Every structure is written in structure tokens, then in C-alpha cells.
Amino acid sequence: MPFRHAIAGTTHVFADLRTLLARATPFRSGDALAGVAATSAAERVAAQRALADLPLKHFLNETVIPYEADDVTRLIQDSHDAAAFAPVSHLTVGGFRDWLLAAEPEALAPLRRGLTPEMVAAVSKIMRISDLIAVAQKCRVVTRFRNTIGLPGTLSIRLQPNHPTDDLRGVAASTLDGLLMGAGDAVIGVNPATDNIEQVLGLLTMLDEVRTRFDIPTQSCVLCHVTTALLAMERGAPVDLVFQSIGGTQGVNESFGVTQALLREAEDAALSLKRGTLGEDVMYFETGQGSALSAEAHHGVDQQTIEARAYGVARAFAPLLVNSVVGFIGPEYLFDGKQIIRAGLEDHFCGKLLGLPMGVDICYTNHAEADQDDMDTLLTSLGVAGVTYIMGVPGADDVMLAYQSTSFHDGLYARAALGKTPAPEFAAWLERMGIGPGEAIPASMAPALIGLT
Amino acid sequence: MSITKWSDLRRFTQARVGLGRSGNAVPTGAHLDFQEAHAAARDAVWSALDVEALRAELGPVPVLHSEAADRKTYLLRPDLGRRLRATDRDSLPRTGGTVIVVADGLCASGVQRQAAAMVRALNAGWPVVIVEQARVAIGDDIGEAMGAEAVVVLIGERPGLSAQDSMGIYLTWQPRRGRTDAERNCISNVRPEGISLQDAAAKVHWLLRGARALGATGVALKDDMTSAPLLR
């Protein structure tokens, strides 16, 4: 059934739900690349008005990708909770925006399983940045493994100590640098330069030794492919969290070499190790707008709606951490700082509303039209929105992945400017170890203790 | 010698560790070092491949072009960068075997400096082609047109602040249009401060032997090369 809306005597027609959602999306290069973007500002606002008038119930009857063709659609439709949906089931998308902005924080969590990713994506398309911040700020998502992540007033940091050749001492030096600046409460998570199993085992062992040597209440992760993590667990490696990149269609997940069943197998394997002390949230997912188009698995759906569907996959598990790598995928999907900033806030909003412990890799590549000022703006906005965690990279320069993310310094800035603290167990550890603003390394954190001599 | 000063951590990594603090921010010197590196990386994205200099080293190899006409189009239309221009497709010889594709990618300087030496390090006599404004998947079109059983794409990697000369190597078994990235194996960060040409060449040969035995590249082909050349 087509949708239509008239503006200034011109009737704009949108053939189906996926087209309506795509045309209503604020402009970004990836939707233009996919050929689904609105072709004029008038067409976009017409789509936004038609979308605002659409009952939320419609999303239960029309899918953006056919049920038979896609296992993410099946997951979303089959897991919808009608009882949880009841408080908003009478609303249109536009009415839902008003409802969210006026809602008490306590009203949001019970709603999660009643919302589909497409509903959440739809309402975000008619929201301004201040709306995305105000509603996300009201969402509370708390997860646990060896510490407590996501409590109000906290901002956690993933310590990302990457090295171009996975040199163990190089990784250890960056890890120590980050710990000394208060990073690492979300996870100490290294992207390996290759998926070589021996390298992965070496990194896992070293990170676990650093954690136990300093008795840090946190978790480590080597961000290898899920099949490599399974292999590492078979070999008895100390795997805290299982990482995987995921997307919002069956096809993009296939391009990543994963299925929902494989993710379940990995989650079960990590749970069987019983390494968490405070909780059992063992999964770590990364997502990002544009991955489905990159894999030519987008089915004519706009990239932001597909990104929200990836959160539908993530919440079928019990992740400790989920983050969008918003500016990483490149200018063909998010061209400049303006597009990256909006996308980062959309991703955080959608993930939080769906109940995920949402962090953001606030980042850009050198072929995008973006710079440090854009990242500072996004960081500050996300901090106000209550982002669960951000990345911490030495000097903002990832020397392995060749892109810029937030630095350990940026984490300190955001916590200070917004009055945030690390996860409570980690904050207590920092104090116990004498880690503060000083220029000297406390004796308790001497590099020699982890073999840096 | 024991490490006492925070800045001594720089001995272990080229990452920007031990920068010091001005309040919570990076001190002025380190801040401007960063800005200078970003400027260099931005300029590197727009550097072009010097094809004639490459052919002086590689010999009179074919020079091909993707469907992306220029750099701006290339950056905004990765689909065009993945496709070989139709006229080039028809001009290629059917060599079979393994084919080496030298591609500019997101930063030409990495392959400009290293591609010829990499071909020598591989020491296999495989046919070589050069292709401009190219993405990794263009190797599928080229390999398919040449009837190759495998394609080895040497491609300039996205420039970082600390490395503007990095080359990636992608292996695809039975290349043909429509292969996904999960069907490839990748060796990245090939550069003087990263993975050496010799180690990369050894790994290419090792992976190709595995691909031949398995009949596939990608996630099915696990990189469990034991005497890991990366451990030094």
C-alpha cells in the first residue's frame, strides 16, 4: 500500500514502508549511494510528515525485508512482545515522539521488547539532535561482568591498545598508558592485526596477566572473529568476552561469516568458562551504518534503519557492550562531520531505547571531511546523552587501524566536563592504586611489574 | 635499564603514549604534532599512482582502470571502484594460475613504494597488472577475466596519522564478481615499521597452499601458520 503526502500542491508518493523510511531519513551519502535517498528537501519532509502520521501498529504488519527472505526480520517479528507494546500501541510515529519526550524515565525500560528496531529508527528520523539526546538520557541500561557498567553518572572507557604487529610489549605499553589515565573500565580490548590464532592466544594471555597482576576489576577482549574465539576457548585461552561485528540483515551477517546460531554457540562457550564475578554478560558487538550496503545486502533499506535492526540482533543475546563504529566505515556512507555527528547520536538513541548498553566509537577516517573539532562536538553531545562508553586510544591515533578515535585525554575531559565517574569498582581501584593527575607513575603500577623493562 | 618516566613507554610502541597532560588535555606540542600528521594524511588520500615509474620496475604490464573516473567519484562511489572498466575486461589475456593486481586503493604511496619489491619477494613469476581508482573487489573482475584460480591484490591502505605508506594484501580463491569479503584472507600493515615484505610473502604462499587444499579462501581458511612470522 503506497503512502502519500502533498506539499505545496505536489503529491509525493512512497511505494512501501522501506521507501517511506528511506526518503524520510536526513541526508547521508550512503543512502544516496544506495539510490534510496530523497531527491529533494520537499520530498524528504513530505516523507517525514507521512511517516509521522503512520500508526506504530503498521510496523507489525509490513516488514522492510520479507520475513521469508531474512532471518533478522524473522527474529524481530517473532520476538515482538505485544504486552510490552500496549502502552504505545495506539500511537502514530509522530505521537510516539511526543510520548517519548514527555515520558518518565521509568516508563522506557518496560517498553523495550514491545518496540521493533524499525519503529525506533522511524521515530529517530523525525527527531532533532536535542530530542535524540533528551530521550537517550532517560534510558538506563546496566550490565555486569567483573564490574558494573552503565550506572547513572558514570562514563566508561574501552581501552584500545592496538599495535600494527600485535607486539606484546607495545600493546602492554599502551595498556599501561591508558590505565594511568583512568581508561579501561568498559574493557581492555585489542583489535588484533591478523586473525592468526597463535597471535590471538598470545594477546589473550598477556592481557589476562596484566589484569591479574594489577588486580583490575575489568574484563579483556581480543576482537578476533567469533570462530577464532571459539578456537581459542577450545585451547583453554582466558576469554572473558566474545567479540563480533554484526549487521541488520542476514546477508551482511553472512558477509561477516556469522549466523545467529554461531553467535549463540560462542555465547554458550564463553558462559561455560564462568569467568565473570559480578555478572554473566559475555558478548561484545560492534555495528555501523553502511556495512550492509558495503556487503551489497541492504535490500533497498536505508542504512540507519538497517543499523537499528543490527541492535535487534544484539539484544537477542546478553551483551556487556555494544558500540557503533560510526565514522569508521568511510565517507561513502557518512561524508562529513555533520553526518557523522547525527549518525552517532541516532545510533546511541536507537540502541539505548531498545535496551542495549550502547557505546560509540567516536571516530573518523582520513578520507572523510571531518576533524578533531567534529569529534569533540560529538563526544560532548554523547556525554550529555549518557553514552555508556567511548573508546580510549593513545593520543586519538590508532596506529593499527589507521583512523582517529577518542583519546585517553578525551575521556578525562568528558568525565570532568560532565561530572561523570568511571564504573564504581574501577573508580575504587584507581584510588587504591594511587592513580590520579600526577606526572609520575605510581610504584604500584610500575612498568616492570608487567615486564616492561 | 628500568623504565621510570612515563614518556619512556614510547620505547615500546609508536602509539602516542606518554604525551603528558595540560589539565585533562594534550599539551600544545603534541596537539600540533597531531594536526600536522592529520594534514599529511589528508593530502596522501589525494596522491595519484605514478604508473610509469611502477612499470619501470615491473616491466610493461597492463594498466587498467576501474569505472570510477576520478578521485572524488572514487571516494563517494565504492561500487564503481570495485568494477573493472568494460573495455579493460575484454583486453586481458586468459593466463589462468595466480594473478597479482597492483591497485592504488585509498593511498597510492604505499603500493608505489612497495609493490615491485613485493612482487620480487613473492618470486613466483605470476602475471601482474596495475589498476587505478580501485577497491579490493576489483581483483574479482580481473581474476575472472584472466581465468585465474587465485588473485593476490596489493592495495594501498587508508592512510593513518602514523603511516601513509601501508599496503594491504588480499587473497581470493576462484575470483569472480560477487565474492564477499568473508571469502578473502587479508594481510594488512605491510610497511617498513609493520609487517615486512619477506614475512608477507611467506604468508601469501602459506595461505595459497591452504586455499588450494581447502578449495577456498576466507573465514574457512584459518590462519594458524605456526612459526608465526609476526612474533619477533
Side-chain angles (χ1 to χ4, degrees):
Chain A
M1 183 193 76
F3 305 91
R4 44 188 98 235
H5 191 88
I7 286 191
T10 301
T11 300
H12 297 269
V13 181
F14 310 99
D16 49 23
L17 181 59
R18 66 174 182 165
T19 305
L20 180 67
L21 287 166
R23 302 293 192 273
T25 307
F27 180 77
R28 61 209 61 199
S29 50
D31 289 339
L33 175 61
V36 302
T39 52
S40 70
E43 187 190 14
R44 177 169 298 108
V45 79
Q48 289 175 343
R49 284 191 173 275
L51 184 60
D53 289 343
L54 188 67
L56 285 179
K57 275 182 186 154
H58 185 90
F59 289 82
L60 302 177
N61 299 322
E62 183 179 356
T63 60
V64 294
I65 302 173
Y67 185 90
E68 302 71 32
D70 187 276
D71 66 2
V72 177
T73 300
R74 291 198 288 277
L75 174 69
I76 291 166
Q77 296 296 114
D78 295 349
S79 62
H80 182 256
D81 182 339
F85 180 54
V88 295
S89 63
H90 62 292
L91 296 174
T92 60
V93 172
F96 185 43
R97 172 182 173 274
D98 296 327
W99 188 93
L100 286 169
L101 288 163
E104 295 299 324
E106 302 73 44
L108 297 181
L111 205 60
R112 288 170 187 164
R113 298 283 163 177
L115 299 176
T116 66
E118 289 87 348
M119 292 177 193
V120 172
V123 73
S124 76
K125 293 178 192 300
I126 57 164
M127 285 178 141
R128 287 172 43 190
I129 277 180
S130 61
D131 302 339
L132 297 172
I133 291 173
V135 177
Q137 199 182 48
K138 293 193 275 192
C139 299
R140 300 264 177 275
V141 183
V142 177
T143 57
R144 292 179 180 86
F145 189 76
R146 283 197 197 93
N147 57 18
T148 311
I149 293 170
L151 291 172
T154 63
L155 171 61
S156 293
I157 298 169
R158 167 187 161 194
L159 203 170
Q160 183 172 309
N162 296 345
H163 187 279
T165 59
D166 293 336
D167 179 86
L168 296 180
R169 280 150 57 98
V171 173
S174 290
T175 302
L176 184 58
D177 193 62
L179 291 169
L180 291 168
M181 283 196 280
D185 52 337
V187 63
I188 303 173
V190 63
N191 297 88
T194 75
D195 236 42
N196 179 289
I197 182 69
E198 300 296 334
Q199 286 296 115
V200 169
L201 292 173
L203 287 164
L204 282 166
T205 305
M206 186 278 286
L207 290 179
D208 200 52
E209 282 171 5
V210 170
R211 181 185 64 78
T212 51
R213 176 63 52 93
F214 292 138
D215 194 22
I216 315 170
T218 193
Q219 36 284 332
S220 65
C221 185
V222 175
L223 285 73
C224 56
H225 192 265
V226 64
T227 53
T228 306
L230 276 164
L231 210 55
M233 286 187 273
E234 270 174 36
R235 297 231 203 146
V239 173
D240 289 344
L241 307 184
V242 171
F243 168 82
Q244 184 56 48
S245 294
I246 56 169
T249 71
Q250 183 175 337
V252 65
N253 287 322
E254 280 167 2
S255 85
F256 288 141
V258 296
T259 60
Q260 291 172 31
L262 180 62
L263 294 172
R264 190 69 64 196
E265 181 188 343
E267 186 177 49
D268 289 343
L271 283 171
S272 74
L273 301 182
K274 298 190 186 307
R275 293 176 59 81
T277 50
L278 294 188
E280 295 196 317
D281 302 321
V282 295
M283 299 301 281
Y284 175 9
F285 295 120
E286 277 190 348
T287 63
Q289 291 188 27
S291 62
L293 177 56
S294 174
E296 296 182 28
H298 62 96
H299 299 267
V301 180
D302 71 90
Q303 65 187 33
Q304 191 252 338
T305 299
I306 289 180
E307 174 71 5
R309 284 167 54 98
Y311 308 149
V313 176
R315 71 170 176 172
F317 303 85
L320 183 78
L321 305 165
V322 180
N323 67 263
S324 155
V325 292
V326 64
F328 185 77
I329 308 185
E332 59 271 37
Y333 307 105
L334 296 168
F335 183 70
D336 56 13
K338 180 177 172 67
Q339 293 182 15
I340 292 170
I341 287 167
R342 169 142 187 126
L345 289 158
E346 288 168 346
D347 293 352
H348 176 253
F349 163 84
C350 290
K352 277 283 168 71
L353 198 53
L354 290 167
L356 292 174
M358 202 69 198
V360 178
D361 187 350
I362 298 161
C363 65
Y364 64 108
T365 60
N366 288 314
H367 59 313
E369 294 292 325
D371 60 21
Q372 291 299 95
D373 287 345
D374 296 311
M375 298 304 108
D376 292 345
T377 304
L378 179 55
L379 168 62
T380 307
S381 302
L382 279 167
V384 176
V387 70
T388 303
Y389 66 99
I390 59 172
M391 307 296 136
V393 174
D397 169 16
D398 189 309
V399 294
M400 197 279 281
L401 291 173
Y403 78 122
Q404 288 85 251
S405 183
T406 41
S407 66
F408 303 135
H409 296 77
D410 292 330
L412 292 172
Y413 149 75
R415 282 176 179 162
L418 300 165
K420 305 270 189 180
T421 57
E425 302 84 356
F426 193 84
W429 174 80
L430 290 172
E431 188 159 327
R432 198 158 71 236
M433 300 302 278
I435 295 170
E439 289 283 318
I441 299 177
S444 60
M445 295 293 292
L449 292 174
I450 55 169
L452 293 173
T453 54
Chain B
M1 195 179 88
S2 76
I3 302 294
T4 50
K5 294 206 305 292
W6 198 329
S7 56
D8 289 340
L9 289 178
R10 277 179 230 157
R11 208 180 296 166
F12 302 105
T13 177
Q14 63 180 124
R16 292 169 198 255
V17 297
L19 296 181
R21 286 165 65 168
S22 298
N24 288 320
V26 174
T28 302
H31 159 60
L32 292 175
D33 289 346
F34 181 102
Q35 296 299 89
E36 184 178 324
H38 184 232
R42 295 284 292 142
D43 289 342
V45 169
W46 294 86
S47 66
L49 204 58
D50 184 341
V51 171
E52 286 319 308
L54 260 183
R55 291 178 97 208
E57 291 189 88
L58 290 168
V61 302
V63 179
L64 314 172
H65 206 285
S66 78
E67 288 185 8
D70 54 37
R71 203 62 174 163
K72 178 97 194 279
T73 308
Y74 174 81
L75 289 175
L76 280 170
R77 293 290 306 269
D79 54 327
L80 299 182
R82 292 187 199 115
R83 288 204 294 263
L84 185 62
R85 203 161 52 187
T87 47
D88 287 345
R89 204 178 163 90
D90 300 335
S91 72
L92 283 169
R94 283 189 71 83
T95 60
T98 300
V99 171
I100 299 176
V101 173
V102 177
D104 48 4
L106 279 169
C107 174
S109 50
V111 280
Q112 189 80 51
R113 282 182 211 148
Q114 302 186 89
M118 186 67 216
V119 171
R120 286 194 294 274
L122 285 167
N123 191 29
W126 296 326
V128 178
V129 302
I130 296 170
V131 57
E132 294 179 275
Q133 306 294 6
R135 305 259 173 184
V136 171
I138 205 167
D140 297 346
D141 273 14
I142 295 170
E144 190 172 20
M146 295 176 75
E149 67 172 3
V151 65
V152 177
V153 178
L154 312 181
I155 190 163
E157 294 190 318
R158 200 177 58 202
L161 295 197
S162 302
Q164 280 117 43
D165 57 353
S166 193
M167 182 171 75
I169 304 177
Y170 289 80
L171 273 73
T172 309
W173 186 256
Q174 300 282 334
R176 59 167 188 266
R177 187 176 282 189
R179 288 278 184 218
T180 72
D181 290 343
E183 296 176 292
R184 312 183 200 286
N185 291 87
C186 170
I187 306 164
S188 67
N189 267 300
V190 179
R191 59 190 170 97
E193 296 79 23
I195 293 173
S196 74
L197 295 173
Q198 288 68 35
D199 288 347
K203 180 147 282 190
V204 167
H205 285 299
W206 186 89
L207 284 169
L208 277 178
R209 277 195 297 277
R212 187 166 288 113
L214 191 66
T217 42
V219 293
L221 174 59
K222 274 290 157 215
D223 176 7
D224 53 1
M225 184 171 173
T226 43
S227 60
L230 312 183
L231 276 173
R232 282 242 165 112

